[in-house]
Amino acid sequence: MEIQVLDKVFVPFISAERIDTRLREIAKQIEADMNGEVPVFIGVLNGSFMVVSDLVKYYEAPCEMSFIKMASYIGTQSTNQVNQLLGLDIDVTDRRIVILEDIVDTGNTLVALKKLFDQHRPKEIRIFTLCLKPEAYKKDIPLDYVAFEIENKFIVGYGMDYDKHGRNLPEIYQIKE
Ligand code: IMP
Ligand code: MG
């Protein structure tokens, strides 16, 4: 069923059931890859709050977790700088960290995150993203866990917003064109 969020119409795109199935699979995969070591999951706010909550419920081995928030500053130039890490409260030095993202689009946020975490000298940085837009992603940071590769269209729901609205939708919707 179509829904309206503010001035835009969206159509159902990825159901709660499909999300659930992929998250169970990936949680098991991460668990195997960690080989008995305890990872630090780091959710990137705000968009990842729902996927983090669901993913870690399927991760059955010990883990630590925290959330961070990236602040974006639009400079005087045309480039959109994303930097500044707010609220990292776990010492990640020599730890295996898994960054949990809602969606990777251009990858600008990811580049900034990687740069910031590298300064803390973790043992390893892995990246999980719920959605990836391969047509838009032009960076060379490898993505270790991608739940869904999607076309380059705007989506909303399951944590992701359209102008701050729609984060509470339990499924993912795509803009109707
Ligand atoms: P990037 O830095 O261009 O990779 O963008 C990443 C961020 O932009 C995501 O974490 C989202 O917050 C936002 N974003 C990108 N595409 C979408 C979309 O289709 N719907 C909602 N938010 C999006
Ligand atoms: Mg995000």
Side-chain angles (χ1 to χ4, degrees), residues 61-101:
C63 65
E64 291 178 33
M65 47 181 312
S66 185
F67 288 89
I68 55 147
K69 189 160 185 166
M70 300 297 286
S72 344
Y73 296 99
I74 298 156
T76 47
Q77 288 137 18
S78 59
T79 47
N80 198 342
Q81 288 286 327
V82 191
N83 45 33
Q84 209 80 17
L85 174 114
L86 306 176
L88 183 67
D89 59 356
I90 292 180
D91 180 5
V92 297
T93 306
D94 293 327
R95 300 295 304 274
R96 300 182 75 173
I97 68 183
V98 185
I99 293 174
L100 306 177
E101 267 284 21

Side-chain angles (χ1 to χ4, degrees), residues 1-150:
M1 205 183 58
E2 286 182 6
I3 56 157
Q4 176 124 13
V5 180
L6 300 173
D7 61 333
K8 301 249 188 295
V9 178
F10 291 83
V11 294
F13 184 49
I14 305 174
S15 69
E17 197 186 341
R18 282 184 67 205
I19 295 168
D20 192 72
T21 302
R22 283 298 284 145
L23 295 185
R24 284 174 192 266
E25 288 168 3
I26 293 174
K28 285 290 142 229
Q29 199 185 332
I30 299 174
E31 217 177 295
D33 291 347
M34 288 302 131
N35 224 341
E37 286 182 70
V38 180
V40 182
F41 288 116
I42 296 169
V44 184
L45 293 173
N46 293 323
S48 77
F49 77 95
M50 215 178 264
V51 67
V52 171
S53 166
D54 286 342
L55 182 76
V56 299
K57 278 182 252 177
Y58 299 131
Y59 192 85
E60 292 178 316
C63 65
E64 291 178 33
M65 47 181 312
S66 185
F67 288 89
I68 55 147
K69 189 160 185 166
M70 300 297 286
S72 344
Y73 296 99
I74 298 156
T76 47
Q77 288 137 18
S78 59
T79 47
N80 198 342
Q81 288 286 327
V82 191
N83 45 33
Q84 209 80 17
L85 174 114
L86 306 176
L88 183 67
D89 59 356
I90 292 180
D91 180 5
V92 297
T93 306
D94 293 327
R95 300 295 304 274
R96 300 182 75 173
I97 68 183
V98 185
I99 293 174
L100 306 177
E101 267 284 21
D102 52 350
I103 181 164
V104 173
D105 185 11
T106 63
N108 289 335
T109 308
L110 206 56
V111 168
L113 277 168
K114 179 85 168 38
K115 203 170 139 200
L116 282 161
F117 279 110
D118 277 341
Q119 293 166 9
H120 293 262
R121 308 224 168 275
K123 178 175 174 185
E124 175 186 66
I125 300 177
R126 287 184 183 240
I127 317 282
F128 162 92
T129 187
L130 176 66
C131 294
L132 168 68
K133 293 176 176 171
E135 278 170 59
Y137 186 61
K138 300 289 175 231
K139 312 290 183 199
D140 51 15
I141 299 171
L143 304 173
D144 303 275
Y145 310 103
V146 178
F148 300 101
E149 287 196 359
I150 63 169

Side-chain angles (χ1 to χ4, degrees), residues 134-176:
E135 278 170 59
Y137 186 61
K138 300 289 175 231
K139 312 290 183 199
D140 51 15
I141 299 171
L143 304 173
D144 303 275
Y145 310 103
V146 178
F148 300 101
E149 287 196 359
I150 63 169
E151 55 192 316
N152 201 0
K153 286 189 186 174
F154 195 80
I155 57 172
V156 74
Y158 198 66
M160 293 171 281
D161 72 308
Y162 166 48
D163 200 10
K164 307 196 171 52
H165 287 250
R167 292 195 195 274
N168 58 321
L169 295 164
E171 317 199 87
I172 301 174
Y173 290 79
Q174 187 180 56
I175 197 147
K176 187 183 176 183

